[in-house]
């Protein structure tokens, strides 16, 4: 088998990495130091907007990357696309778990303070949970197939079938469940409750977290390529 | 029936008029988390994300260590 | 090496795969017996678990579809494994276009799920005292829900036939994918159990079910060859 070429890892990469780390440091400083308008129930936890919400954005962007690489794997059959689909799914799952746990913690000490509610079947919460179940099944499926080439192909098919059904949840869930999230029926839209100063931190935070996910993903891809090249001889 | 409820409502009204409804004082972890305008909740969320990223880095590191052992 | 080409022969291939499965089923009656026993025993478990209280409509609707979905996972998971075990895969691969194999299996599975629905609706009426108030709605959502369920189950049955340890994998793969179907079909089912409900109550659900079945079947037909061919 021919060697896979790792992604180029030169000085340009170290510059990008330095920029991402500086960017994220500034975002965290801004998140804690900038004054925000006071809101009932939320109080300072409104700052969680900068941390909890980008988890969801990051997960969905990695899900998208994973779906694209699964499609490309079926089209080309090259090993590298399978590795990329697998590793982006893994990063998406990590960010999904972090989004769920941070959401539970946030709601527990604001809206559900003093109650025994941990899980309320919020549409977005449910969707993230279902996406995690799908990735659980995806990785489990991968462990049951021994042949490398077949494993990539079958897993890609499952990933794409799942990707075709998940968007339905965007339509179905909000109709049948109550939501705490802005924009859902009755709740104020995102732009109404968010002061301009918060948006100035929020959007950079989304970009920063996606960039961090990209760093983690790229690391995993490099490790995976190294492993493939070492074990295939 | 309707008047019954009305009468009860006024009676309760005078009783509850000057009381905040959730009278139970938050205790234990609740009290800690709700102090200082709930800033500690934000700290918790940031820590969860921090540990999530660290956990992922740790896993990647272990994969690398395994590879290094294969090379030797 | 395709013997069939053109649309009529594709249809003929589909029908012949369907008839082949039906004939095998007719001889052994394994799938049907499994289905009957599964539906009956799960309904009896429900009877004992629920006790003698009247059960709310939304609970009945949820339980009904859970029984149907698990009946499907337990009896349809074998549809491709049986070809693998019987050594007939190569024969089908060389003589019949992949999409026709998929369509034939899909038809057969759809028939099995519809039979399971007939059984379950009878058993729910008799043993759990569920009254189906609105028959037209019930029939429409059963047909649409079963089509989506059959589509998802058939492609996943093909997937698990290629893995090391067969049938036990199916529920894990299937359930997260079925979530949108389950939500809308249960919602519509509550309307079908409610006296005086109208088509307006289930319009959104029916649209979702049609779109879901269409999407899953289209995606499955497009992707089936990657699973089926080596």
């Amino acid at each position: 088998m021919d060697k896979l070429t790792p992604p180029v890892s030169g000085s340009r990469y170290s510059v990008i990495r330095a920029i991402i780390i500086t960017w994220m440091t500034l975002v965290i400083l801004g998140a804690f130091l900038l004054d925000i308008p006071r809101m009932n129930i939320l109080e300072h936890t409104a700052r969680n907007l900068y941390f909890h919400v980008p988890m969801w954005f990051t997960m969905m962007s990695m899900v998208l990357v994973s779906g694209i690489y699964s499609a490309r794997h079926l089209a080309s059959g090259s090993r590298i696309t399978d590795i990329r689909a697998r590793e982006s799914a893994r990063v998406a799952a990590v960010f999904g778990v972090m989004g769920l746990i941070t959401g539970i913690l946030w709601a527990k000490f604001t809206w559900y303070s003093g109650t025994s509610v941990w899980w309320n079947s919020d549409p977005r919460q449910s969707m993230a949970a279902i996406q995690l179940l799908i990735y659980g099944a995806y990785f489990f499926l991968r462990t049951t197939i021994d042949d490398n080439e077949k494993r990539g192909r079958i897993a890609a098919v499952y990933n794409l079938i799942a990707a075709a059904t998940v968007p339905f949840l965007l339509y179905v869930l909000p109709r049948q469940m109550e939501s705490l999230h802005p924009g859902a029926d009755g709740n104020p839209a995102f732009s109404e409750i968010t002061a301009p100063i918060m948006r100035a931190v929020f959007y950079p935070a989304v970009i920063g977290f996606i960039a961090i996910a990209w760093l983690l993903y790229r690391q995993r891809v490099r490790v995976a390529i190294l492993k493939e090249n070492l074990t295939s001889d | 029936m309707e008047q019954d409820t009305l009468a009860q409502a006024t009676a309760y009204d005078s009783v509850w008029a000057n009381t905040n409804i959730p009278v139970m004082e938050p205790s234990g972890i609740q009290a800690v988390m709700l102090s200082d305008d709930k800033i500690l909740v934000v700290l918790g969320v940031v820590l969860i994300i921090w540990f999530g990223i660290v956990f992922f880095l740790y896993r990647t590191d272990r994969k690398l260590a395994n590879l290094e052992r294969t090379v030797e | 090496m395709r013997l069939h080409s053109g649309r009529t022969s594709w249809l003929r291939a589909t029908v012949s795969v369907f008839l082949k499965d039906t004939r095998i089923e007719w001889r052994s009656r394994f799938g049907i017996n499994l289905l009957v026993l599964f539906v009956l025993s799960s309904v009896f478990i429900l009877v004992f678990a629920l006790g003698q209280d009247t059960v709310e409509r939304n609970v009945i609707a949820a339980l009904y579809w859970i029984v149907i979905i698990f009946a499907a996972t337990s009896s349809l998971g074998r549809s491709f494994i049986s070809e693998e075990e019987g050594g007939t895969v190569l024969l089908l691969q060389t003589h019949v276009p992949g999409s026709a194999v998929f369509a034939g299996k899909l038809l057969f599975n759809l028939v099995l799920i519809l039979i399971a629905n007939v059984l379950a609706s009878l058993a729910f009426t008799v043993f759990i005292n569920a009254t189906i108030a609105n028959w037209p709605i019930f029939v429409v959502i059963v047909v649409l829900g079963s089509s989506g369920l059959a589509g998802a189950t058939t492609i996943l049955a093909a997937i698990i036939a290629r893995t090391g340890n067969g049938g036990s994998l199916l529920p894990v793969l299937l359930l997260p994918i079925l979530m949108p179907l389950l939500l809308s079909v249960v919602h519509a089912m509550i309307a079908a159990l409610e006296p005086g409900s109208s088509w307006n109550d289930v319009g959104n659900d029916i649209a979702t079910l049609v779109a879901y079945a269409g999407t899953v079947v289209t995606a499955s037909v497009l992707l089936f060859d990657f699973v089926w061919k080596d």
Side-chain angles (χ1 to χ4, degrees), chain B residues 10-32:
Chain B
T10 29
Y12 273 105
D13 230 28
S14 57
V15 174
W16 295 108
N18 295 316
T19 328
N20 288 323
I21 292 302
V23 280
M24 202 178 69
E25 273 295 308
S27 61
I29 183 128
Q30 283 263 320
V32 175

Side-chain angles (χ1 to χ4, degrees), chain A residues 16-111:
Chain A
I16 295 175
R17 189 178 54 193
I19 291 174
I20 291 173
I21 291 168
T22 321
W23 178 281
M24 218 37 225
T25 312
L26 290 176
V27 165
I28 293 172
L29 287 178
F32 277 96
L33 297 181
L34 290 175
D35 267 336
I36 55 167
R38 200 185 160 85
M39 277 178 278
N40 275 335
I41 302 178
L42 283 174
E43 304 181 34
H44 269 318
T45 66
R47 296 180 194 277
N48 278 344
L49 172 77
Y50 314 135
F51 301 108
H52 162 73
V53 185
M55 295 296 111
W56 168 258
F57 281 76
T58 312
M59 171 176 152
M60 284 330 272
S61 55
M62 291 323 267
V63 167
L64 197 68
V65 170
S66 179
I68 290 170
Y69 276 113
S70 284
R72 285 183 53 185
H73 179 68
L74 288 183
S76 68
S78 71
R79 275 179 299 158
I80 182 71
T81 46
D82 180 39
I83 289 175
R84 284 181 180 277
R86 182 186 77 205
E87 296 307 336
S88 50
R90 220 187 286 273
V91 175
V94 168
F95 276 84
V97 170
M98 291 196 288
L100 277 184
I101 302 178
T102 54
I104 288 174
L105 185 78
W106 189 6
K108 190 69 202 169
F109 294 107
T110 49
W111 299 280

